[in-house]
Amino acid sequence: MSPVFPMLTVLSMFYYMCLRRRARTATRGEMNSRRAIESNTRALPINVEIVQYAKEVLDFSSHYGSENSMSYTMWNLAGIPNVYPSSGDFTQTAVFRTYGTWWDRCPSARLPFKRTPPTFCSQDYVELAFEEPVYPTAVHILETYHPGAVVRILACSANPYSQNPPAEVRWEILWSEAPTKVNGPQARQFTPCIKQINFPTNLIRLEVNSSLLDYYTELDAVVLHGVKERPVLSLKTSMIDMNDIDEDEDEEKYGCGMDTLNKQFSIVTLREWPTNGYFDKLPYELIQLILSHLTVPDLCRLAQTCKLLYQHCCDPLQYIHLSLQPYWARINDTSLEYLQSRCTLIQWLNLSWTGNRGAISVSGFSRFLKVCGSELVRLELSCGHFLNETCLEVITEMCPHLQELNLSSCDKIPPQAFNHIAKVGSLKRLILYRTKVEQTALLSILNFCSELQHLSLGSCVMIEDYDLIASMMGAKCKKLRSLDLWRCKNITESGIAELASGCQLLEELDLGWCPTLQSSTGCFTNLARKLPNLQKLFLTANRSVCDTDIEELAANCTHLRQLDILGTRMVSPASLRKLLESCKDLSLLDVSFCSQIDNRVVLELNANFPNVFIKKSFTQ
């Protein structure tokens, strides 16, 4: 056969793909400008472009700041820039709670969920409302320190200022990329090429991944460019990249429409085959092992091929650990209903970020847990704003074996609702960061949950007396290994003494931004002597930390791996050298804004202790 025919076949296939791509693009009326498309385009009719800064910060997963001030909080993203184009560490910017991989190396680190799709790498998010709904043409993000954290930008069809909420809320990805390392901490305006969407929006969501950053990223403002009328593109010429086909399939696979995922869950019409090929020769367990590497949407697709694979893909053993967080925009009551029969043996469940804006109802969540909660050991519900007291009551009744509960940033749960958690005596990990838990409920939890090993109370502003809380921990929580008291406003040396005496297994303690602790009372010395197993100690922004405290840590806490003493004026280079010589495992030391530790000292310490990452922030 002549070699011309295979070549013609390849060219025909390529021509077909180009036509298919052109047809789909014209049908949607949108062009993904991030892709390699070279064309002469013009918008008809001509629209005046609207440029607007964020009017309001609606929601976010975490921030470095407190709930009662503006320093380092996400609320700084509203309005015009405060800092840009200056570079450096400024309190007027928005800063997330973590950076790098340091929090993944602590005793409190949690095991990751498997089956996370490779396209989902988001760790935090912030949602911004703008005055005017527009068809976006550009998004500018003003990053003022350690840029490069933003990995995804989304637009929402819901208008947060509308009196009539839509029947369905749609999220569309404007831009998405894997985390990349940016050289240098200097400020920049980040303007990724976004795709056009077929609805106007005034609600933009930024998702970030800070794992590659050397320090905290700082964002100053977000600018949305757009037009009021939907652009109609006329194409004169175009050249289409071969990667277009693959990227379009990725959008279908990981897009944000709820219908697609729910259809995959619900399809039950299967083809009849005389045999199942080589699968008939494989042991059931081996097929299960192979399928365990598939993501949830892939399992749903595979279930549509034949009865044998449907049986495997719907086997509850495939859903022992299930994370729905990557699909937060697509999960609703219908999704949970379809999953019920597959999740009867589920032990780990991640519903973080899901269910907001009415997607999951209290009744839908309750029905799911009543069927699937009996074997649950771990439940992640971070930023679940649909949760209320009824939900917590259902959790405590339907999940008798629960050991880990994450309610981080669930700030809509009323204070009295947390009393129900005290019924779960088997709890080993409880995360209440940025919740409205109040003192009476927390005392009850500590009294009845004596198995607690990891507890996060960071930014819990409703607690009136942290000394009383610390005293209860010392008396009841003898197995405590990690404790986060970030920005607790009133703990004193008395509470620290009770804590150190009663919780001597502590390996991780965060006392960052606790203004009522004073070194002169001996509280830090007492900590160092009573807690020899400490691996992580954050004393961030405590101006009173002094050489004596550092020398006590060097003498008693030789297993120390991470130490943050940002902001102290009382620590000298000599005491740091003693610490570095004694603590051979030390890998992170933050001396930002320590007035006695200048850049020359940092360079010298880096040269002598190359295995330690010494952080020294700056302000331009």
Side-chain angles (χ1 to χ4, degrees):
M1 181 182 290
S2 170
V4 174
F5 293 104
M7 181 60 69
L8 287 175
T9 302
V10 171
L11 291 175
S12 300
M13 291 175 63
F14 176 72
Y15 181 64
Y16 166 75
M17 289 190 290
C18 291
L19 288 178
R20 180 170 173 261
R21 172 61 184 165
R22 174 79 67 86
R24 285 204 302 227
T25 303
T27 301
R28 290 195 301 261
E30 63 191 37
M31 180 65 66
N32 187 341
S33 57
R34 140 172 101 83
R35 297 171 179 169
I37 299 177
E38 301 175 4
S39 60
N40 296 321
T41 65
R42 60 188 180 88
L44 298 173
I46 297 176
N47 281 324
V48 176
E49 189 173 60
I50 297 173
V51 179
Q52 49 187 332
Y53 291 96
K55 178 181 179 180
E56 185 181 358
V57 176
L58 298 179
D59 188 22
F60 55 90
S61 54
S62 78
H63 61 179
Y64 186 90
S66 74
E67 306 303 296
N68 301 317
S69 76
M70 292 296 292
S71 296
Y72 296 122
T73 65
M74 286 297 121
W75 299 304
N76 285 320
L77 276 176
I80 62 174
N82 298 309
V83 173
Y84 186 85
S86 296
S87 299
D89 190 340
F90 290 91
T91 61
Q92 302 96 321
T93 57
V95 185
F96 290 98
R97 181 72 176 82
T98 65
Y99 71 92
T101 59
W102 301 108
W103 278 258
D104 297 327
R105 307 184 201 178
C106 297
S108 62
R110 288 165 286 170
L111 293 174
F113 278 77
K114 297 180 180 179
R115 284 181 161 162
T116 300
T119 56
F120 182 81
C121 55
S122 304
Q123 298 173 331
D124 276 296
Y125 73 85
V126 58
E127 293 180 1
L128 306 167
F130 295 80
E131 183 71 37
E132 295 287 337
V134 294
Y135 292 89
T137 57
V139 176
H140 302 312
I141 304 170
L142 306 184
E143 303 172 281
T144 55
Y145 199 42
H146 289 279
V150 178
V151 294
R152 196 154 72 153
I153 304 173
L154 302 98
C156 185
S157 62
N159 183 342
Y161 301 120
S162 172
Q163 299 299 318
N164 302 311
E168 179 186 357
V169 176
R170 291 177 55 199
W171 285 93
E172 191 76 28
I173 298 174
L174 300 180
W175 171 86
S176 179
E177 289 289 349
T180 55
K181 180 78 170 180
V182 176
N183 293 325
Q186 286 73 28
R188 72 169 185 178
Q189 176 178 290
F190 180 52
T191 308
C193 294
I194 63 173
K195 79 171 184 179
Q196 290 186 2
I197 55 177
N198 59 8
F199 58 82
T201 184
N202 61 340
L203 175 52
I204 297 294
R205 175 177 171 125
L206 308 182
E207 295 185 355
V208 304
N209 181 308
S210 303
S211 62
L212 299 182
L213 300 185
D214 291 328
Y215 205 57
Y216 298 97
T217 190
E218 299 191 7
L219 309 179
D220 193 13
V222 176
V223 191
L224 175 62
H225 292 237
V227 292
K228 295 292 289 184
E229 299 295 328
R230 180 179 175 183
V232 179
L233 297 176
S234 62
L235 299 178
K236 292 184 179 179
T237 61
S238 66
M239 292 181 61
I240 301 178
D241 191 343
M242 286 293 290
N243 290 328
D244 264 2
I245 305 302
D246 293 336
E247 290 190 11
D248 200 71
E249 289 172 357
D250 285 342
E251 282 184 9
E252 293 172 2
K253 189 173 182 180
Y254 301 115
C256 291
M258 289 184 183
D259 288 343
T260 304
L261 193 64
N262 289 337
K263 286 177 182 177
Q264 292 167 3
F265 286 147
S266 61
I267 288 178
V268 294
T269 303
L270 302 172
R271 302 173 186 175
E272 292 284 354
W273 300 100
T275 68
N276 296 303
Y278 287 107
F279 282 104
D280 284 332
K281 300 180 180 181
L282 293 178
Y284 191 94
E285 295 80 3
L286 183 55
I287 299 176
Q288 286 285 294
L289 178 61
I290 294 171
L291 300 190
S292 68
H293 296 279
L294 298 180
T295 63
V296 174
D298 288 339
L299 273 180
C300 294
R301 289 187 188 90
L302 189 62
Q304 301 168 27
T305 58
C306 68
K307 288 187 176 181
L308 174 68
L309 291 179
Y310 177 84
Q311 179 185 359
H312 280 282
C313 292
C314 296
D315 191 323
L317 291 175
Q318 286 291 337
Y319 300 85
I320 298 294
H321 294 179
L322 176 62
S323 177
L324 296 176
Q325 183 180 5
Y327 320 105
W328 60 266
R330 292 186 275 171
I331 300 301
N332 56 19
D333 282 349
T334 306
S335 311
L336 296 182
E337 184 178 350
Y338 287 145
L339 282 168
Q340 278 185 20
S341 62
R342 309 181 188 191
C343 294
T344 54
L345 300 178
I346 191 169
Q347 297 178 7
W348 287 15
L349 175 61
N350 185 0
L351 286 174
S352 294
W353 301 6
T354 65
N356 297 333
R357 294 183 173 85
I360 294 179
S361 65
V362 172
S363 58
F365 176 77
S366 301
R367 285 194 301 270
F368 182 81
L369 277 196
K370 287 175 181 177
V371 174
C372 308
S374 61
E375 302 297 324
L376 265 183
V377 175
R378 176 179 176 183
L379 182 57
E380 304 280 340
L381 295 169
S382 174
C383 305
H385 301 312
F386 67 91
L387 296 170
N388 63 9
E389 182 169 4
T390 300
C391 295
L392 289 194
E393 187 174 6
V394 169
I395 290 171
T396 58
E397 290 178 357
M398 298 296 134
C399 308
H401 305 298
L402 197 62
Q403 297 181 10
E404 300 188 23
L405 178 60
N406 180 4
L407 298 174
S408 172
S409 292
C410 293
D411 53 2
K412 301 296 190 294
I413 302 176
Q416 72 277 4
F418 293 92
N419 279 297
H420 293 287
I421 298 176
K423 304 172 188 175
V424 189
S426 57
L427 272 183
K428 294 183 178 179
R429 183 190 302 272
L430 179 59
I431 301 176
L432 298 176
Y433 168 72
R434 289 191 66 237
T435 62
K436 295 177 181 176
V437 61
E438 50 86 32
Q439 187 163 301
T440 303
L442 185 55
L443 288 172
S444 180
I445 292 170
L446 297 174
N447 186 43
F448 290 102
C449 300
S450 58
E451 297 297 313
L452 276 173
Q453 297 180 17
H454 305 283
L455 178 61
S456 174
L457 300 175
S459 295
C460 291
V461 298
M462 301 288 286
I463 299 173
E464 300 171 354
D465 187 351
Y466 269 99
D467 281 346
L468 183 58
I469 297 299
S471 177
M472 179 65 81
M473 289 182 204
K476 296 291 186 177
C477 302
K478 302 293 186 180
K479 299 179 181 179
L480 207 60
R481 294 179 54 215
S482 73
L483 176 61
D484 182 1
L485 295 178
W486 175 263
R487 292 189 181 272
C488 75
K489 58 186 178 181
N490 53 34
I491 193 168
T492 69
E493 66 277 4
S494 175
I496 291 296
E498 296 279 356
L499 182 68
S501 297
C503 302
Q504 296 190 0
L505 297 180
L506 271 174
E507 300 172 347
E508 177 180 342
L509 181 59
D510 193 333
L511 296 172
W513 296 88
C514 296
T516 50
L517 292 176
Q518 294 296 316
S519 173
S520 58
T521 64
C523 58
F524 302 133
T525 298
N526 190 31
L527 273 180
R529 292 174 179 174
K530 293 286 183 65
L531 303 177
N533 297 315
L534 274 181
Q535 297 180 27
K536 172 183 174 179
L537 178 61
F538 274 28
L539 302 175
T540 316
N542 192 299
R543 309 289 191 259
S544 69
V545 175
C546 63
D547 282 345
T548 301
D549 303 319
I550 300 300
E551 290 168 3
E552 287 289 343
L553 288 172
N556 297 286
C557 301
T558 56
H559 301 296
L560 201 62
R561 296 176 181 270
Q562 300 181 26
L563 177 64
D564 185 342
I565 54 171
L566 175 149
T568 182
R569 305 182 182 92
M570 312 291 288
V571 172
S572 68
S575 64
L576 286 185
R577 290 190 190 94
K578 290 182 181 178
L579 178 78
L580 291 165
E581 289 168 356
S582 298
C583 301
K584 304 296 184 182
D585 296 327
L586 195 67
S587 56
L588 174 65
L589 175 61
D590 195 333
V591 294
S592 301
F593 302 109
C594 293
S595 55
Q596 295 190 46
I597 313 299
D598 56 23
N599 289 332
R600 179 188 57 81
V601 173
V602 171
L603 289 174
E604 177 190 334
L605 294 176
N606 273 328
N608 293 327
F609 304 95
N611 295 327
V612 183
F613 289 87
I614 302 176
K615 306 298 181 180
K616 178 70 173 175
S617 189
F618 73 88
T619 300
Q620 187 181 60

